Amino acid sequence: MSYKQRQLPVFELFCYNRFMCISNKILAWYRPEDRDLPWRRTEDAYHIWVSEIMLQQTQAQTVIPYYERFMAKFPTAEALADADEEDVLKMWQGLGYYRRARHLLEAARIVKDEGMPSDFKTLKQLPGIGDYTAAAIASIAFHEPVAAIDGNLLRIYSRLYCITEPVDRSKTKRRIFERANDDISRTRPGDFNQAMMDLGNKICTPTRPLCLLCPLREECRAFKEGVADELPHKTPKKKQARENYTLLLLDLDGDYLVEKRTEGLLQAMWGFPLLSGHLKKEDIQKYLSERDFMIEDMREMRDYRHVFSHKIWNVSVVYVKLKTMVCAEDRYTWANRAALEDVYAIPSAFQPALEVIDALD
């Protein structure tokens, strides 16, 4: 006997009918061709995985060229697993949040040895794959009916069910995850998840949602109560920590000293030497002389601010022309402007310093 044929209690029947409405309506509305994204042209688990990692905290249109270059360089998980970290980080340069790339490489090496997991729970065991990414891969590549909960879906469901608790709390996320799993299509779970992403991108937007165009407006409690633009609620954010640095552009005949960072933000990335605090000229001179650098000229060039998700760097760029080359530690090297562009993965936090070099030339 099918689910439809069974005698259902009134509440269970209501929930089933609601599931059918939400699932059918969102899939009828969904038009994948409206957002012709390259990762939507495949059900290959590796391709979907790479795209979902890149899309974390990055807009889709920004991701497209990075994704296409990355897939051309590393077309399979095995190809990525065999790559050097330096090459992977270079291909990632400009996307930010470089820990994503390191986790992706680490996970690819596991997949090469053990094979690609094909279900939500096992996918979560790979480095860098959380609930959302695991659900996206499982639903799109392996057709497992599990909801992919990101900011879009949290917003949609907070309005759909008029959930007033902060959506960034674990308890609320779990509640929404369970409700979305009740609603998700059993036959087209990947399309359901991607349809919800499009709904959040086009209609159920963070501000001024276009409720009259929404395919789910008849099921949406927030729309009926006129409070859609007041939801979702979130826990107030803490203020970002601010850190001051002096960045040294050490120039020896057109070669610049760069260091491979060993800890903290941008670990394993190449960047210019950073000294804590906004240092005076005499402090910089002392620092360099203690390391046997001979200074020919020193100039303060510019100040800039770089914003991370949880902190802000206030950076003063100081250009120093040197007379002699000193480079004793392995994590330091000298590179000309072309090498800084083509060889070393210089993250965006140091891009204003590269602009200073260009202005000098």
Side-chain angles (χ1 to χ4, degrees):
M1 184 179 293
S2 71
Y3 189 73
K4 286 184 178 181
Q5 293 170 327
R6 285 191 288 123
Q7 294 296 317
L8 301 176
V10 173
F11 179 74
E12 187 178 350
L13 181 61
F14 167 79
C15 292
Y16 175 70
N17 288 336
R18 185 179 179 86
F19 149 69
M20 291 297 294
C21 286
I22 290 173
S23 180
N24 290 343
K25 286 186 176 181
I26 194 67
L27 291 175
W29 170 85
Y30 179 48
R31 295 289 183 273
E33 64 273 13
D34 289 351
R35 298 180 77 201
D36 186 24
L37 303 171
W39 47 87
R40 288 193 174 178
R41 304 170 198 155
T42 180
E43 289 188 354
D44 182 279
Y46 169 68
H47 291 218
I48 295 163
W49 172 22
V50 171
S51 72
E52 291 298 342
I53 296 298
M54 288 186 170
L55 286 165
Q56 293 171 4
Q57 299 179 308
T58 309
Q59 295 293 322
Q61 291 304 312
T62 301
V63 165
I64 290 174
Y66 288 95
Y67 171 82
E68 292 177 336
R69 288 194 295 267
F70 196 92
M71 297 312 300
K73 180 79 171 178
F74 312 115
T76 64
E78 291 74 21
L80 177 59
D82 292 337
D84 292 331
E85 183 180 271
E86 190 72 32
D87 291 338
V88 176
L89 292 176
K90 183 62 183 176
M91 292 301 297
W92 204 270
Q93 183 178 348
L95 269 177
Y97 303 97
Y98 290 90
R99 183 179 296 178
R100 295 181 296 176
R102 290 193 291 272
H103 281 160
L104 188 61
L105 177 58
E106 183 183 354
R109 289 170 176 167
I110 295 172
V111 168
K112 180 183 177 182
D113 294 337
E114 302 178 8
M116 184 74 188
S118 59
D119 64 275
F120 174 69
K121 289 184 178 180
T122 312
L123 282 161
K124 287 201 300 179
Q125 297 175 15
L126 291 176
I129 294 186
D131 286 353
Y132 169 77
T133 304
I137 299 169
S139 64
I140 298 169
F142 304 112
H143 309 289
E144 182 179 353
V146 56
I149 306 295
D150 74 341
N152 283 305
L153 205 140
L154 288 173
R155 181 170 64 256
I156 291 167
Y157 267 77
S158 73
R159 292 168 176 169
L160 197 58
Y161 289 94
C162 211
I163 296 172
T164 57
E165 295 87 352
V167 295
D168 50 355
R169 290 181 182 173
S170 297
K171 183 178 180 180
T172 312
K173 288 182 180 179
R174 172 55 58 181
R175 179 183 174 190
I176 289 176
F177 180 66
E178 291 171 353
R179 291 204 170 185
N181 279 338
D182 288 340
D183 292 337
I184 195 170
S185 169
R186 272 43 180 180
T187 56
R188 296 170 57 192
D191 283 349
F192 179 94
N193 280 328
Q194 295 192 95
M196 284 294 184
M197 298 304 110
D198 283 4
L199 187 71
N201 180 266
K202 298 176 182 179
I203 292 178
C204 197
T205 52
T207 58
R208 298 182 180 179
L210 305 176
C211 296
L212 294 179
L213 301 179
C214 181
L216 303 181
R217 64 184 178 276
E218 293 179 3
E219 288 70 42
C220 183
R221 285 183 55 191
F223 171 67
K224 292 176 181 178
E225 296 178 21
V227 295
D229 57 352
E230 298 176 18
L231 296 172
H233 295 158
K234 294 183 179 180
T235 304
K237 288 186 177 180
K238 295 180 180 179
K239 287 187 176 181
Q240 293 168 297
R242 296 176 181 269
E243 298 176 350
N244 298 327
Y245 292 101
T246 299
L247 183 152
L248 299 182
L249 280 178
L250 302 180
D251 175 10
L252 183 68
D253 298 328
D255 288 335
Y256 294 87
L257 187 68
V258 289
E259 62 174 337
K260 193 168 189 178
R261 297 173 62 84
T262 58
E263 58 185 18
L265 284 172
L266 309 178
Q267 183 179 351
M269 302 295 296
W270 290 92
F272 300 101
L274 278 181
L275 306 182
S276 182
H278 290 162
L279 302 184
K280 297 180 180 179
K281 186 174 182 179
E282 52 268 28
D283 295 323
I284 299 172
Q285 290 173 328
K286 180 181 178 183
Y287 173 86
L288 294 174
S289 64
E290 289 175 348
R291 288 156 180 80
D292 297 324
F293 287 99
M294 295 185 65
I295 302 171
E296 181 176 319
D297 184 29
M298 182 185 301
R299 282 176 275 164
E300 295 180 1
M301 301 303 297
R302 65 172 292 185
D303 296 335
Y304 71 88
R305 185 179 75 157
H306 187 80
V307 179
F308 296 94
S309 59
H310 61 296
K311 66 176 57 181
I312 296 172
W313 280 4
N314 296 311
V315 182
S316 296
V317 180
V318 177
Y319 170 80
V320 182
K321 189 169 181 60
L322 299 172
K323 296 180 181 179
T324 57
M325 179 183 291
V326 177
C327 187
E329 298 182 42
D330 291 339
R331 66 189 182 96
Y332 290 95
T333 191
W334 296 87
N336 60 27
R337 182 63 182 87
L340 292 173
E341 186 71 29
D342 301 329
V343 179
Y344 298 96
I346 305 296
S348 57
F350 296 103
Q351 289 301 310
L354 293 176
E355 294 171 7
V356 170
I357 294 175
D358 294 337
L360 289 169
D361 294 340

